[in-house]
Amino acid sequence: MNTSNILTGNRFVVLGRAGMDFSPEPAGTAIEQATTFSASLGGSSANICVAINRHGGQTSLVTCVSDDAIGRFALEQLDHYGVDRQHVRAVGGEYRNSLAVSESRLEGHQTVIYRNGAADFQMDIKDVEAVDYSRFSALITTGTVLAVEPSRGAAFRAFDLARAAGIPLIFDVDYRPYSWASAEEAADVYSRAGELCDIIIGNDVEFGFMAGRHDAGLDKARQLVQGGAAIVVYKMGEQGAVTLSADQEIRTGIYAADALKPTGAGDSFMGGFIAALAEGRELKDAVLRGSACASMVVSRVGCAPAMPTTAELDAFLATHPGPTHS
């Protein structure tokens, strides 16, 4: 698949969770010392939706939320950010929305995540079969949805339906060990998912995990391209990224930032990167725009509310000295 025309529009269907984030206030406050918290939309898939919308795209989220006040908070927040939620289903009983309590500080940073009885894992085959995939430019999923059933089976069914509709599959590896029964199961499922997808984004730890050995992560990324993936982005933290396609490997650096926190960078990168590809930008330019978005988000409080607009991104790029370690 040619990387220059892999995305022919800017409307995306996204699988995965929407939750609530708590941030201790003011910035720099430790959780155990906090008396005031701000609440915002959270969850990697919801964050990606917001990030894409901020760049002029349109997103539709497919997930489940709890049938309670926290689930309704997530729905209200999706409305606030213009994320279509016609395919978000409320589930009752003891299922609960995910909650992340995350500090806006780097030294000694703590993020505490509550995922017991997660409502989003109840997304099932009927949920994904209700989507008209032909209306979208691509399907985006995060790896979290693959951790358990029925969400896992629903995601693979969505892959089949999206492929039948002729749209590409975009996969953010997003490995969260606490969601999985075992590392071996996760590595097997992630590898199966990766072999089906057109664009795969992950960090060096995640690709090394998929390969079964940390130092084999880049080789794993190359194997995925050899197996048919159009684009694989291998992120290396402060060392930048290697972006692979069938005919090139591009090494890029990061944009220096006065970071407040480490969270939200991956979701923001995905939003900026995918939006740039949808605009028809060259692959290297798309990666750099995604990297700039990541730097902007870690310098701001929260995740969803920290996602930059296109105007903010362009202003950042116009005044920033450029990427380092490229």
Side-chain angles (χ1 to χ4, degrees):
M1 186 177 290
N2 190 321
T3 59
S4 65
N5 61 6
I6 187 170
L7 297 179
T8 56
N10 66 351
R11 189 172 188 177
F12 302 93
V13 56
V14 184
L15 306 182
R17 72 186 185 279
M20 176 184 278
D21 285 353
F22 277 170
S23 300
E25 293 188 335
T29 303
I31 292 170
E32 54 265 40
Q33 297 170 346
T35 57
T36 303
F37 294 80
S38 61
S40 61
L41 179 67
S44 53
S45 295
N47 290 337
I48 289 169
C49 287
V50 173
I52 290 173
N53 283 15
R54 286 275 173 92
H55 295 294
Q58 296 177 291
T59 54
S60 181
L61 185 65
V62 185
T63 192
C64 291
V65 298
S66 53
D67 188 13
D68 58 22
I70 306 302
R72 291 190 290 276
F73 171 88
L75 296 178
E76 291 285 345
Q77 287 288 295
L78 291 172
D79 288 344
H80 171 73
Y81 289 109
V83 179
D84 174 60
R85 59 175 177 88
Q86 65 174 311
H87 297 295
V88 179
R89 176 169 60 91
V91 294
E94 295 302 311
Y95 299 112
R96 295 290 181 262
N97 261 60
S98 62
L99 169 67
V101 186
S102 186
E103 298 168 342
S104 298
R105 62 174 185 155
L106 285 179
E107 186 176 353
H109 174 85
Q110 302 175 97
T111 292
V112 181
I113 298 178
Y114 296 88
R115 290 281 289 153
N116 294 335
D120 53 280
F121 282 149
Q122 297 310 302
M123 179 183 71
D124 60 26
I125 287 178
K126 289 182 180 178
D127 292 315
V128 300
E129 288 182 341
V131 177
D132 179 1
Y133 294 89
S134 66
R135 297 171 51 234
F136 297 98
S137 309
L139 167 69
I140 300 173
T141 190
T142 63
T144 307
V145 304
L146 301 171
V148 298
E149 297 291 357
S151 179
R152 180 189 302 168
F156 279 107
R157 176 61 175 154
F159 287 0
D160 290 341
L161 293 168
R163 181 70 71 209
I167 65 172
L169 308 179
I170 302 171
F171 179 38
D172 183 349
V173 179
D174 192 32
Y175 176 50
R176 310 293 179 100
Y178 52 79
S179 293
W180 290 83
S182 71
E184 292 76 16
E185 180 183 56
D188 174 67
V189 174
Y190 277 142
S191 292
R192 285 197 288 126
E195 290 168 1
L196 297 172
C197 292
D198 302 291
I199 299 176
I200 305 159
I201 300 172
N203 61 40
D204 48 358
V205 173
E206 291 167 334
F207 280 108
F209 169 75
M210 290 171 67
R213 199 176 78 241
H214 176 72
D215 61 358
L218 187 54
D219 288 337
K220 178 66 175 181
R222 289 174 176 138
Q223 289 170 10
L224 288 166
V225 171
Q226 292 166 2
I231 300 169
V232 177
V233 182
Y234 178 86
K235 297 185 291 185
M236 303 177 293
E238 293 183 355
Q239 298 305 310
V242 179
T243 303
L244 307 96
S245 65
D247 57 359
Q248 60 182 329
E249 289 191 10
I250 304 168
R251 291 184 178 265
T252 51
I254 64 168
Y255 290 86
D258 295 324
L260 282 176
K261 64 185 194 312
T263 54
D267 302 334
S268 187
F269 175 91
M270 170 72 89
F273 174 66
I274 293 302
L277 287 181
E279 290 176 3
R281 293 180 180 269
E282 294 294 327
L283 184 55
K284 182 176 181 179
D285 188 26
V287 173
L288 289 174
R289 289 179 73 83
S291 297
C293 287
S295 292
M296 296 176 75
V297 162
V298 298
S299 302
R300 301 173 172 184
V301 174
C303 289
M307 297 299 170
T309 64
T310 302
E312 290 172 331
L313 172 59
D314 288 341
F316 176 92
L317 291 170
T319 57
H320 200 281
T324 59
H325 304 299
S326 58

